[in-house]
Amino acid sequence: MTDYLFRAPLSTPESRASHPPRPRVERRKGMLIERDIAVEVSPGVHVYVDVYRPDNEEPAAPMIS
């Protein structure tokens, strides 16, 4: 156990007047882009990702980075 006390963050998304993630879909030439999609990585913890895929129903290999 340590005697170190954690301080509150100096800035928060709310203090910077940011907006919550807003899922949306964009269409570009031959591509469908889904923005700000919530992915649960552990119970109660989400990361927001952008999904790029072909603009048709053909199967495509995923690209993850």
Side-chain angles (χ1 to χ4, degrees), residues 8-48:
L10 297 176
S11 67
T12 63
E14 294 79 19
S15 70
R16 295 187 307 270
S18 68
H19 303 284
R22 172 177 58 89
R24 60 199 182 280
V25 176
E26 295 178 20
R27 289 190 186 275
R28 300 216 178 149
K29 186 177 180 181
M31 190 174 13
L32 187 68
I33 306 169
E34 297 174 89
R35 303 249 185 218
D36 296 330
I37 304 299
V39 175
E40 189 171 18
V41 292
S42 64
V45 177
H46 292 85
V47 295
Y48 293 88

